[in-house]
């Protein structure tokens, strides 16, 4: 995609004034503001209707900038070198003299950080004097946005500017890993746990406890298209939209497919857009067929399971 530098300049100007701007990333679109500004972070929570106790991910251009705000360690460096910029979010210890807004962290002494790969957003970050706090650009608890038109439909005039970067190439959120002690995955995402395990050569624990002591962003009801959804459906009931992993030779308006060839990356890329489309067509509920529970399929299933708690 061609980079429009005057659009980046416009976004920069607004961000410098503590305004919020939607930004494209390879995972999903973000609703960004100056992570050093309480005012900008308060605006993010307000626009998204996000519960105040659900901290924001902070986006950096590179780890040189990050070092002012967080402590890093060997596991971080290994993962950073291999996977960043990319769809991996780290939980790190915050430095006492960090300028990160306490609104962004909800007063926690840890910080979630990511280095997005999308070229437009990298150009923007490179040009700013601060990192960007940016949760996904969707109304709290609903499906994320994977295009500028998704963001526009969710927020309308609620956002000052949307920096268009085309369709998100991955389409599901980053994997979140706490690397402060023994590495622990807190959210399944675009990067497969097995590739983290292969690199670090150690056990990666997995803590997305479905029931208790959850961070709100990890709550069970999340990623909802706004209508009931059931998973692992073998048959479609009357009036339901039927969402299937692999395309079949069925030409019915109420059948939707995530992938032409049965490819998990393609399915992830199409997931949120298809859920939004089904809702737009005014279906009252969705039945989702079985999706292979491996690699990215685990992330897709995680999102659908949470959406089914609606
Ligand atoms: P979103 O930006 O909407 O994709 O959500 C960000 C996710 O990161 C949420 O699940 C948050 O709860 C999680 N998160 C942000 N900061 C922290 C932190 N310091 N420790 C653990 N999880 C965090
Ligand atoms: Mg989100």
């Amino acid at each position: 995609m061609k980079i429009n530098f005057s659009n980046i300049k416009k976004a920069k100007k607004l961000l410098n004034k503590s305004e919020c701007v939607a930004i494209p990333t390879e995972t999903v679109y973000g609703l960004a503001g100056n992570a050093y500004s309480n005012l900008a972070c308060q605006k993010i929570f307000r626009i998204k209707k996000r519960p105040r106790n659900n901290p924001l991910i902070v986006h950096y251009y590179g780890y040189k900038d990050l070092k002012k705000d967080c402590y890093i360690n060997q596991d971080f460096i290994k993962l950073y070198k291999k996977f960043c910029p990319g769809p991996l979010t780290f939980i790190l210890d915050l430095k006492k003299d960090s300028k990160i807004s306490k609104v962004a962290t909800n007063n926690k002494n840890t910080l979630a950080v990511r280095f997005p790969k999308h070229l437009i957003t990298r150009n923007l970050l490179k040009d700013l004097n601060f990192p960007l706090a940016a949760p996904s650009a969707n109304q709290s608890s609903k499906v994320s946005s994977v295009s500028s038109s998704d963001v526009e439909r969710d927020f309308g005039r609620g956002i000052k500017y949307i920096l268009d970067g085309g369709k998100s190439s991955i389409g599901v959120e980053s994997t979140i890993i706490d690397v402060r002690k023994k590495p622990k995955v807190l959210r399944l995402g675009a990067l497969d746990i097995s590739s983290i395990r292969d690199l670090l050569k150690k056990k990666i624990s997995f803590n997305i406890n479905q029931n208790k002591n959850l961070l709100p962003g990890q709550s069970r009801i999340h990623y909802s298209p706004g209508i009931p959804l059931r998973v692992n459906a073998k048959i479609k009931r009357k009036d339901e939209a039927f969402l299937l992993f692999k395309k079949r030779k069925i030409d019915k308006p109420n059948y939707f497919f995530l992938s032409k060839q049965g490819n998990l990356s393609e399915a992830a890329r199409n997931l949120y857009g298809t859920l939004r489309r089904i809702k737009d067509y005014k279906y009252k509920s969705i039945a989702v067929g079985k999706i292979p529970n491996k690699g990215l399929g685990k992330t897709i299933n995680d999102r659908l399971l949470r959406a089914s708690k609606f």
Side-chain angles (χ1 to χ4, degrees):
M1 162 176 237
K2 224 172 138 229
I3 298 179
N4 181 328
F5 287 97
S6 68
N7 288 350
I8 294 177
K9 215 162 148 189
K10 187 166 174 188
K12 181 184 169 185
K13 217 165 158 183
L14 287 163
L15 290 163
N16 276 330
K17 288 194 278 187
S18 287
E19 295 293 354
C20 296
V21 165
I23 56 165
T25 90
E26 69 281 13
T27 58
V28 299
Y29 271 66
L31 178 58
N34 178 352
Y36 292 157
S37 155
N38 286 335
L39 179 63
C41 293
Q42 278 157 358
K43 283 183 187 167
I44 294 174
F45 281 95
R46 200 167 55 227
I47 294 171
K48 243 193 94 115
K49 299 197 184 79
R50 184 177 177 102
R52 273 298 173 93
N53 60 351
N54 188 7
L56 307 177
I57 296 179
V58 174
H59 296 66
Y60 289 85
Y61 178 74
Y63 98 108
K64 278 191 190 137
D65 304 317
L66 165 84
K67 281 203 297 190
K68 285 181 248 166
D69 295 319
C70 293
Y71 295 103
I72 57 168
N73 59 23
Q74 280 305 315
D75 282 347
F76 168 84
I77 292 168
K78 280 187 200 161
L79 290 166
Y80 177 86
K81 281 188 177 157
K82 173 98 178 168
F83 299 117
C84 298
L88 182 61
T89 296
F90 302 88
I91 306 297
L92 297 170
D93 282 318
L94 256 183
K95 288 190 172 169
K96 282 243 158 44
D97 59 352
S98 150
K99 287 196 285 183
I100 294 290
S101 157
K102 298 222 175 319
V103 178
T105 59
N106 187 36
N107 280 312
K108 283 164 86 72
N109 48 18
T110 57
L111 185 67
V113 306
R114 186 165 104 77
F115 309 89
K117 194 171 188 169
H118 196 294
L119 270 186
I120 290 179
T121 288
R122 275 185 71 68
N123 271 283
L124 173 66
L125 284 167
K126 200 173 163 188
D127 224 15
L128 293 169
N129 294 322
F130 46 80
L132 290 175
S136 52
N138 53 279
Q139 294 288 346
S140 188
S141 89
K142 296 296 189 312
V143 290
S144 301
S145 296
V146 291
S147 68
S148 57
S149 59
D150 290 346
V151 182
E152 189 155 0
R153 292 192 70 167
D154 277 14
F155 295 104
R157 287 162 180 248
I159 299 186
K160 287 258 153 80
Y161 186 58
I162 303 171
L163 186 55
D164 190 2
K167 198 174 163 193
S168 294
S169 60
I170 296 176
V172 289
E173 298 79 359
S174 60
T175 302
I176 302 182
I177 186 163
D178 185 342
V179 288
R180 291 171 305 145
K181 293 187 184 111
K182 287 182 188 157
K184 185 161 64 179
V185 166
L186 303 182
R187 174 176 79 185
L188 291 178
L191 186 69
D192 197 349
I193 296 182
S194 64
S195 46
I196 297 175
R197 193 186 306 119
D198 292 349
L199 179 78
L200 297 184
K201 296 192 177 58
K202 52 172 103 164
K203 190 168 172 275
I204 311 293
S205 62
F206 179 48
N207 182 14
I208 50 160
N209 192 325
Q210 298 275 324
N211 296 309
K212 48 185 179 182
N213 301 329
L214 290 166
L215 282 163
Q218 293 151 355
S219 67
R220 286 190 302 155
I221 308 163
H222 209 121
Y223 313 106
S224 166
I227 51 176
L229 176 153
R230 62 190 181 94
V231 292
N232 291 328
K234 290 204 176 73
I235 49 159
K236 189 186 89 61
R237 295 178 193 147
K238 193 169 170 281
D239 297 335
E240 277 180 327
F242 204 12
L243 178 59
L244 295 165
F245 173 53
K246 190 175 168 185
K247 191 159 176 59
R248 289 186 200 163
K249 279 193 190 132
I250 300 170
D251 196 16
K252 286 188 183 166
N254 48 1
Y255 278 66
F256 297 82
F257 307 100
L258 290 174
S259 164
K260 283 194 186 109
Q261 307 286 345
N263 174 299
L264 285 165
S265 304
E266 187 190 3
R269 198 158 48 243
N270 289 328
L271 178 66
Y272 293 142
T274 312
L275 291 174
R276 281 173 181 266
R277 204 145 46 88
I278 292 173
K279 171 92 188 310
D280 289 348
Y281 286 150
K282 308 263 185 277
Y283 285 97
K284 294 276 184 295
S285 57
I286 310 175
V288 187
K290 202 173 168 78
I291 291 168
N293 203 37
K294 57 176 190 209
L296 258 184
K298 284 189 183 164
T299 301
I300 297 173
N301 282 324
D302 170 79
R303 303 301 189 262
L304 288 169
L305 191 65
R306 286 166 204 252
S308 75
K309 312 290 179 195
F310 175 76

